[in-house]
Amino acid sequence: MFRRFFATATKGANLVSDVVIVGGGPAGLTMASSLKNSPILRDLSCTLIESGDITSTLQDYYADPPETILNRCVSITPATIEYLDKIGAWKFVKKARTENYDYIHTYDGLTGAAMEFDSPDMATMIENFNIQASLHQRILELNSEQPVNPLDLRDNTKVVKITRDPKTSWPIVQLSSGDSIKTRLLVGCDGARSPVRKFARIESRGWAYNQWGVVATLKYKDSGFRSPTGWQRFLPTGPLAQLPFPDSWLSIVWSVPPELAVVLVSLSDDSFVTMLNAASRLSQEELDSLYDLARDEPEKLKEEAEWRLGLFNDNLTAEQEEKFPPMVESLVPKSRGRFPLKLSHADDYVDERLALVGDAAHTTHPLAGQGLNMGQADVKSLVSTLEKSRERGLDIGSKFALDPYYSERYPYNHAMLGVVDKIHRIYSTRSPLVVWARSLGVDALNNVPFVKDLMVGQVSHMKSTK
Ligand SMILES: Cc1cc2nc3c(=O)[nH]c(=O)nc-3n(C[C@H](O)[C@H](O)[C@H](O)COP(=O)(O)OP(=O)(O)OC[C@H]3O[C@@H](n4cnc5c(N)ncnc54)[C@H](O)[C@@H]3O)c2cc1C
């Protein structure tokens, strides 16, 4: 198909492809696999452009995964796994590097009020690379099954400019390689700063959280016989999530103000581990003084934090100990990273011959672990919309054909962004009245199984439909 169109390429573009996907992150690779897996859409020519080097990195990861868990990890829902399975990618996932957990313990850093969620197969922890590498393997498999019209994956290639053909108004994507591709449908899976969204002049609204998510891979001292549990402590500086992996590995997302993120990332490995243990157990007043020490006299931090932790732990009964995550023993060297956190939502997901998917359309605070899951549900909805329009003989790039995708996904994503933002706001305050009210609310909610089941169901079985 790609070559057939090539012969009719017009001035301004030397190549033509029915679909051009920009971005080889989780959303872009899922979009490509899903299109080529669809019996209704697989004959369309499809090109994926990614600026990074993904072919060799993902192949290396798949052939010889690192000994430790990588620092970019996500919690995925059963709905996401079901979809990855449906499009034939889940079988390539390295299951020994994933952890299913059915229990989350959340607790308030100021009041100690706790809420426990349990539900079979609530979520699965997985490295981003494990998802991307399995999708890449699926693309290679699909390409070998369909050698006449394979997906054209161009990595190490940046989209440098996008224009519209003056005659047909089809998008023309100019690449750093010098090629330019004219396309019937341009799909922006190009992340939060989406060049595709900017080209379409679609407004994206939202705000920065004035927090960075510090991520790292660590190891627990002794998980004992505890079942895999997700822990989240809501501190006024931002939530601290500890998420389980096999063999006592854990991945953290520690949301903190930017200045504190800089301090945490610059601490020695040992001091960071001690500070993390302190943040999961000590009072906010003690943490405030430890943060000051970390900033001003980092060489004194470890001794001071260990002393305070020792006092705290000595007074814990075995039953109280169960209310806290196990103590962390070590940090994987160089595994710390930090990412700015932002809420953003595009006003529209579609335009004439253009659709936005994943972080290009929306970003959210990671406290509920929903960003990637929302992107997967977007792909499912967009591909199903394209299938329906193809079956009805519509032009898949027309805005008319694409509108149902926007109508289906926007309200759901908007509601999810709003709920996550409210949780963030309620827990970020030190206002005594709000703190008192939220502890009452949490205690009450924790004793109403029906409401908790509803909350877990909404988050862990996120549907692509309203
Ligand atoms: C700390 C943290 C923790 C998180 N935890 C979770 C979680 O537990 N669960 C969850 O569901 N989500 C989580 N998320 C969100 C999740 O990581 C993102 O939603 C997801 O990775 C977005 O995928 P994407 O493919 O849409 O975008 P991206 O991963 O950003 O991919 C975009 C791609 O486009 C490429 N690109 C951009 N511009 C160009 C260009 N001009 N030319 C060519 N290529 C280009 C980029 O190189 C990139 O590879 C978390 C996020 C953070 C920051």
Side-chain angles (χ1 to χ4, degrees):
M1 185 72 82
F2 190 88
R3 283 167 193 79
R4 185 157 62 80
F5 274 111
F6 184 86
T8 62
T10 54
K11 193 168 172 263
N14 65 325
L15 303 167
V16 178
S17 180
D18 288 319
V19 182
V20 169
I21 299 166
V22 183
L29 290 169
T30 308
M31 186 71 208
S33 309
S34 191
L35 279 175
K36 284 295 167 186
N37 184 63
S38 163
I40 301 163
L41 302 169
R42 65 170 56 127
D43 65 307
L44 295 170
S45 57
C46 182
T47 309
L48 187 149
I49 314 294
E50 164 58 46
S51 54
D53 174 10
I54 51 170
T55 309
S56 60
T57 349
L58 295 178
Q59 191 59 42
D60 288 352
Y61 172 94
Y62 189 76
D64 185 17
E67 278 176 22
T68 60
I69 298 294
L70 298 173
N71 68 357
R72 290 306 314 271
C73 301
V74 282
S75 171
I76 54 172
T77 59
T80 288
I81 294 177
E82 197 183 302
Y83 191 60
L84 289 171
D85 192 35
K86 187 182 160 207
I87 62 172
W90 187 250
K91 63 177 182 280
F92 293 111
V93 163
K94 298 200 175 288
K95 313 287 186 307
R97 299 178 69 87
T98 68
E99 184 72 271
N100 299 332
Y101 62 107
D102 46 25
Y103 186 69
I104 299 183
H105 185 102
T106 66
Y107 57 123
D108 188 328
L110 290 183
T111 66
M115 183 134 69
E116 287 142 14
F117 299 95
D118 63 309
S119 157
D121 294 329
M122 185 186 294
T124 299
M125 285 307 299
I126 183 167
E127 298 155 286
N128 290 20
F129 257 38
N130 204 350
I131 299 178
Q132 286 175 263
S134 66
L135 288 161
H136 180 237
Q137 289 303 310
R138 177 60 178 150
I139 288 169
L140 295 180
E141 183 179 61
L142 286 163
N143 277 357
S144 67
E145 287 165 14
Q146 302 160 45
V148 179
N149 183 24
L151 175 93
D152 183 8
L153 197 164
R154 296 175 175 223
D155 65 348
N156 294 307
T157 307
K158 194 170 176 186
V159 170
V160 288
K161 195 171 175 192
I162 309 172
T163 52
R164 281 203 190 260
D165 182 295
K167 273 196 198 141
T168 62
S169 85
W170 284 25
I172 298 175
V173 180
Q174 293 182 27
L175 309 181
S176 53
S177 59
D179 285 323
S180 50
I181 312 177
K182 187 162 110 168
T183 183
R184 181 184 294 274
L185 173 62
L186 178 61
V187 186
C189 300
D190 44 355
R193 291 194 281 180
S194 171
V196 172
R197 190 184 65 233
K198 283 178 191 145
F199 155 72
R201 300 204 174 148
I202 296 175
E203 191 79 42
S204 176
R205 296 169 204 276
W207 46 82
Y209 278 115
N210 194 31
Q211 282 180 355
W212 290 66
V214 174
V215 299
T217 307
L218 303 105
K219 200 147 200 172
Y220 282 128
K221 247 177 207 153
D222 176 18
S223 301
F225 297 103
R226 291 183 181 196
S227 57
T229 299
W231 298 89
Q232 182 140 252
R233 189 179 197 201
F234 285 97
L235 295 159
T237 42
L240 163 61
Q242 300 192 16
L243 299 150
F245 273 91
D247 300 327
S248 298
W249 293 111
L250 73 146
S251 172
I252 62 157
V253 181
W254 191 353
S255 306
V256 289
E259 322 77 70
L260 185 52
V262 172
V263 172
L264 291 176
V265 170
S266 64
L267 290 175
S268 70
D269 289 4
D270 280 357
S271 298
F272 181 79
V273 169
T274 316
M275 192 67 237
L276 174 65
N277 283 325
S280 72
R281 293 177 177 229
L282 299 186
S283 71
Q284 188 56 46
E285 290 72 32
E286 286 182 291
L287 291 180
D288 286 340
S289 74
L290 290 176
Y291 293 146
D292 288 345
L293 205 58
R295 187 191 57 222
D296 302 331
E297 297 175 283
E299 66 289 350
K300 294 191 181 156
L301 174 69
K302 188 166 181 289
E303 197 184 336
E304 175 71 16
E306 276 177 354
W307 177 73
R308 287 174 186 263
L309 269 168
L311 283 182
F312 182 87
N313 289 343
D314 287 349
N315 290 319
L316 283 183
T317 62
E319 199 186 331
Q320 287 168 329
E321 177 70 43
E322 293 283 309
K323 304 283 178 205
F324 296 100
M327 296 285 281
V328 172
E329 184 173 62
S330 57
L331 168 79
V332 172
K334 299 195 169 67
S335 71
R336 276 174 284 175
R338 59 189 167 102
F339 300 88
L341 306 179
K342 192 175 174 210
L343 177 149
S344 63
H345 203 188
D347 282 354
D348 209 333
Y349 296 178
V350 297
D351 192 7
E352 198 59 30
R353 309 210 167 276
L354 182 144
L356 302 175
V357 170
D359 275 21
H362 43 72
T363 60
T364 176
H365 197 290
L367 68 86
Q370 288 303 318
L372 184 139
N373 291 301
M374 289 160 77
Q376 295 293 301
D378 291 348
V379 173
K380 183 178 174 189
S381 169
L382 178 57
V383 170
S384 147
T385 302
L386 296 177
E387 284 175 337
K388 282 182 202 142
S389 63
R390 197 106 202 269
E391 282 176 328
R392 289 177 197 150
L394 299 174
D395 175 350
I396 58 152
S398 74
K399 187 162 184 302
F400 175 73
L402 294 167
D403 267 337
Y405 159 61
Y406 168 71
S407 312
E408 181 169 87
R409 290 302 302 157
Y410 185 90
Y412 186 89
N413 287 339
H414 203 69
M416 181 61 83
L417 297 181
V419 168
V420 173
D421 188 56
K422 294 291 169 296
I423 298 174
H424 165 77
R425 278 166 195 271
I426 289 171
Y427 279 102
S428 298
T429 181
R430 294 187 195 223
S431 151
L433 195 62
V434 180
V435 171
W436 172 74
R438 89 180 170 221
S439 74
L440 279 188
V442 165
D443 282 341
L445 272 182
N446 202 35
N447 292 312
V448 188
F450 152 75
V451 178
K452 275 171 44 184
D453 289 352
L454 198 75
M455 289 164 79
V456 172
Q458 279 303 309
V459 174
S460 69
H461 297 281
M462 202 173 81
K463 306 273 193 304
S464 64
T465 51
K466 292 160 276 177

